[in-house]
Amino acid sequence: VTLPQIYGDERDAIIAKWNQLQAAWGTGKGIYNPRGSVEFTPDNPYCRFKAVGYNRLPKTKNEDGLVSLFIKKPEAEVRANQQQIVDTLFVIFGSKPQLSVCVEGIKKLPDNLTEFVIYILERPASGPARRIPSNETTNFLNGQLIQLKSKLVVENIVPKMGFTEQALKEYLDTPQEGIHPFLWEQAKLDNPDPDSLVPVPMIGFKALHQRLKHQEQQTQAHQQRLDLIAEDLESLQQKQVNMLAKLEEYKRKHIQLSHRLLQVVVKQEISRKMGYSIQAEEEQLRVQLEKIQLELNHPTQFKGRLNELMSQIRMQNHLAGTRADFSYQMDPSLQQEIKHLLKQQQEGLKHLVNIIKEDAQDIQLMEQNLEASPFSQR
């Protein structure tokens, strides 16, 4: 085809270049004499449209018994007729009562194909049940391929199992058809994960397009799984919100019960001490409480300072209501600093008021308990 002998002039050189061009793109017919020609395919070694990709190594074994049937029907139809397919396969296997056809999975594929994964479970009269190996099931079904095509529209049967070490070594050591040995060796060196991936040739646009459709199909499956996960996360987040609300409610109930328990403990302690004289620890506690009360009521302490602050606030409010309107200009950084200081003072006052209220309640409760004590009345 590189030196055709047809016309015996310069036209033969043009035909030679045309043959080379057809061989490079992997299609067409190369004519080398008036009675002979060669059909070019993408597998020829001169085809330029080829590359090497990587597929994940199967993890299943021959003992798992998994076999893939590629059915030329949509996934929805296969799922709807799953039981009928299983019954048909059972009849093909001879309707033996010790055999069961089990479905491992159904997967949607491009080009209106569906992968139907099965395994055959054998239950002998004596001994445990076992799965028939994948290669045995595949060999039997290949012998029944005409019947499978007519009844189930099965296009191909493939054992779903991984390589043995010897088979993998032979596969890697032998360059695939149409792939130059240098390209194959470079593909093995560039393998990102030799333990999980294996180089696979892609020859011609058809193989590349088929791989692209499989990747798109797998991407859609991943997106569907992500959507399901997102729905589950949303449901879990809603349950978390409800749980937090219940947790806050239970916290409030716990605080209420703690207060009630404290009141019961106080009353029980009062009843237990009734008729006894005041002990040294109780007298010491009473002295400390009276001291705290005096400090709180002292004019120069917290109560006096609070009264002074309240008076200043009332005075400022009064002056602000009587003075005329003036416009002031202040540096923004100074405003932020003043706001920050006022906020700190406000938080300190709130904290101080809360402490005073709590101490006042505690003192009032202790005074009531002391007044109710018979020894105190005497």
Side-chain angles (χ1 to χ4, degrees), residues 313 316 334-350:
I313 292 172
Q316 289 177 0
L334 183 59
Q335 290 181 0
Q336 293 296 330
E337 185 177 356
I338 292 175
K339 287 181 180 179
H340 182 66
L341 292 174
L342 291 176
K343 185 177 180 181
Q344 287 182 343
Q345 292 182 3
Q346 185 179 8
E347 291 176 354
L349 290 174
K350 287 182 179 179

Side-chain angles (χ1 to χ4, degrees), residues 69-71 73-75 78 106-107 112-116:
L69 306 179
F70 295 93
I71 302 175
K73 290 182 181 180
E75 179 195 8
V78 173
I106 301 175
K107 183 180 178 181
N112 206 27
L113 277 174
T114 302
E115 183 183 11
F116 194 78

